[in-house]
Amino acid sequence: MPKTAKIILQIDRSRETERRFLSGIARYAAENGPWEFYIKPLPDRENKIRSGDELWFRNIPADGIITRGLEYIEQIVKMNIPVIGSGIYRAGHPGVSNTISDSKQIGRMAAEHLLDCGLWNFAYCGLTDIYWSQARSESFAQEIAKAGFNVDFYRSPNQKKPVSVDQEKAYLAQWLRSLKKPVGIMACNDERAMQIIEACKTVSIKIPEDVAVLGVDNDELICNICSPALSSISVNFEQAGFQAAQLLDELMSGKKTSANTIFISPTHIIARQSTDILNVKDKDVADAIRFIYDNWHNNLQVNDVVAKTTLSRRVLEKRFRKVLKRSINEELRRVRINNISRMLMDTNLTITQIASRFDWTDTGHISRYF
């Protein structure tokens, strides 16, 4: 019988992102174990003293540890067991492999989504002096600049001391009122996006008509508790957890490996009401785009789109390129790819089943789009 590995998980379980990361670890253990896990006790009458101790695991004879944050990394390294970091940003810690979100790709994806909404005013709301927030803002701004636009950045008027929730909401509301409308705002994460939505309500700013808001992480509880529901970038924390566990397993088996960085990749955007806007002033182009959105799953051709307008194909193509910077066919392909990708990631349908739902003759029709 194989030896059971003892693994310490020094990871917060209060956020959905962390629970997804833990799910990936559990999936790897189920396929490659047996592993025995040690998780920090939740506070209650029985363990309140232990739960307040951030080094609660110091006396556990463990084989490996996956930890989050830098606060106690020096003490953890001194335990002389394999260590994988989670969310240790910048350079991390010498010799410690690390998992961090791919903030550059997240910023690019956010920019593409808000640009696709037909917006030309953009803003970013992050967290002061937080590395990943800064990295996302830079990537977002770079992508927006490529399209010929600028980004407004939120900066709290009082950055030297903590402010109350109501004070922060007032600062946000003041900033939101100053922005040119309609505007697309990328928030550094879902919690920040929720604050933007609540601040908009205090000054009667309409979402998404005046402000389209996009978050990051797709924390479904936060996204759906927002009113309107929050659009968000889904990030593959579960796969990152699986890869972190796999790397830890290699280290525990004695495999020599240099410190690696596992990037937690964004997968797709879950579009909800907060970005349900198509800000296209050209009515014929707007009607054509809406027709594509509503009928992408049919065997739609460019001529079908043209027929829904009063324009010739040549004129409509010209207007599409002026407004969207792409052709009718490119827009049709983009919408199909996005929707097929969502179905592949969010459902258990096979490619054959997806093809049959849309009356496509074979799976090759789908594969050609990728």
Side-chain angles (χ1 to χ4, degrees):
M1 183 175 179
K3 176 190 173 185
T4 300
K6 296 183 177 180
I7 312 298
I8 296 168
L9 299 176
Q10 173 69 341
I11 298 173
D12 181 22
R13 314 196 291 283
S14 62
R15 286 185 169 87
E16 184 175 332
T17 54
E18 305 295 352
R19 292 196 295 273
R20 278 190 244 144
F21 187 80
L22 288 169
S23 293
I25 296 172
R27 180 162 62 90
Y28 180 85
E31 296 175 9
N32 301 277
W35 283 12
E36 180 180 351
F37 292 110
Y38 296 85
I39 300 178
K40 180 182 177 181
L42 294 172
D44 58 33
R45 291 181 181 178
E46 297 300 322
N47 59 38
K48 61 183 178 180
I49 296 177
R50 288 185 298 147
S51 67
D53 181 7
E54 294 302 327
L55 291 174
W56 54 271
F57 50 81
R58 62 167 68 83
N59 295 320
I60 295 175
D63 299 296
I65 180 169
I66 301 178
T67 184
R68 180 170 181 81
L70 279 169
E71 292 84 355
Y72 302 96
I73 193 67
E74 296 288 350
Q75 294 96 315
I76 290 170
V77 169
K78 289 179 182 178
M79 293 172 65
N80 291 320
I81 58 174
V83 181
I84 303 294
S86 170
I88 302 175
Y89 295 95
R90 297 185 176 88
H93 186 279
V96 176
S97 294
N98 189 26
T99 63
I100 61 173
S101 57
D102 189 346
S103 291
K104 288 185 178 180
Q105 181 60 18
I106 288 170
R108 286 194 293 268
M109 190 177 288
E112 290 170 0
H113 179 69
L114 294 176
L115 285 165
D116 286 340
C117 291
L119 297 162
W120 56 85
N121 299 309
F122 302 92
Y124 180 86
C125 184
L127 298 169
T128 305
D129 297 329
I130 302 296
Y131 171 76
W132 52 264
S133 177
Q134 182 64 29
R136 291 174 188 183
S137 73
E138 291 172 358
S139 177
F140 178 70
Q142 288 170 4
E143 202 67 24
I144 294 297
K146 289 179 184 177
F149 303 105
N150 296 318
V151 175
D152 250 298
F153 296 93
Y154 173 72
R155 293 179 176 84
S156 176
N158 193 342
Q159 298 181 359
K160 293 184 179 180
K161 60 180 181 180
V163 297
S164 69
V165 172
D166 287 338
Q167 284 177 312
E168 181 69 3
K169 186 185 291 185
Y171 291 152
L172 278 170
Q174 183 180 5
W175 174 68
L176 290 164
R177 292 180 68 177
S178 73
L179 299 174
K180 293 181 180 179
K181 313 292 191 306
V183 59
I185 301 179
M186 178 192 178
C188 62
N189 60 14
D190 291 337
E191 292 177 359
R192 199 56 158 159
M194 184 177 181
Q195 291 175 332
I196 294 170
I197 290 175
E198 294 305 313
C200 282
K201 294 176 184 177
T202 66
V203 286
S204 302
I205 293 176
K206 295 179 181 178
I207 300 172
E209 294 86 350
D210 297 325
V211 173
V213 185
L214 178 65
V216 180
D217 290 338
N218 192 39
D219 187 319
E220 292 194 358
L221 177 61
I222 293 177
C223 292
N224 291 316
I225 206 172
C226 288
S227 181
L230 174 66
S231 296
S232 185
I233 298 175
S234 182
V235 184
N236 202 345
F237 288 97
E238 182 174 342
Q239 181 61 21
F242 186 95
Q243 290 178 288
Q246 183 178 41
L247 182 56
L248 181 66
D249 199 10
E250 291 175 358
L251 293 172
M252 291 189 302
S253 66
K255 183 177 180 179
K256 298 296 182 181
T257 177
S258 57
N260 295 314
T261 298
I262 298 170
F263 284 101
I264 311 174
S265 302
T267 55
H268 61 303
I269 291 175
I270 309 297
R272 300 184 179 91
Q273 290 171 284
S274 71
T275 59
D276 187 13
I277 182 174
L278 189 61
N279 189 51
V280 176
K281 291 185 177 180
D282 188 316
K283 185 179 183 304
D284 288 299
V285 173
D287 289 345
I289 295 171
R290 181 56 61 188
F291 180 71
I292 291 172
Y293 282 12
D294 293 342
N295 297 277
W296 66 269
H297 50 282
N298 296 321
N299 190 20
L300 205 60
Q301 304 297 322
V302 172
N303 285 337
D304 298 320
V305 179
V306 174
K308 286 296 177 179
T309 72
T310 59
L311 305 176
S312 69
R313 177 165 177 167
R314 180 175 176 275
V315 172
L316 187 60
E317 285 280 12
K318 186 175 180 180
R319 291 193 186 178
F320 252 73
R321 291 191 179 278
K322 181 179 179 180
V323 174
L324 296 182
K325 306 297 187 292
R326 52 182 172 265
S327 69
I328 300 171
N329 189 52
E330 287 170 340
E331 176 64 4
L332 181 55
R333 288 174 60 84
R334 186 192 69 82
V335 172
R336 279 181 173 154
I337 287 172
N338 287 346
N339 281 283
I340 293 169
S341 296
R342 283 197 195 100
M343 296 190 74
L344 289 170
M345 289 184 281
D346 296 340
T347 74
N348 292 321
L349 295 173
T350 65
I351 295 177
T352 301
Q353 290 170 325
I354 293 172
S356 65
R357 283 194 170 201
F358 303 134
D359 297 325
W360 290 339
T361 54
D362 56 43
T363 56
H365 195 90
I366 292 180
S367 63
R368 280 193 295 273
Y369 279 93
F370 296 89

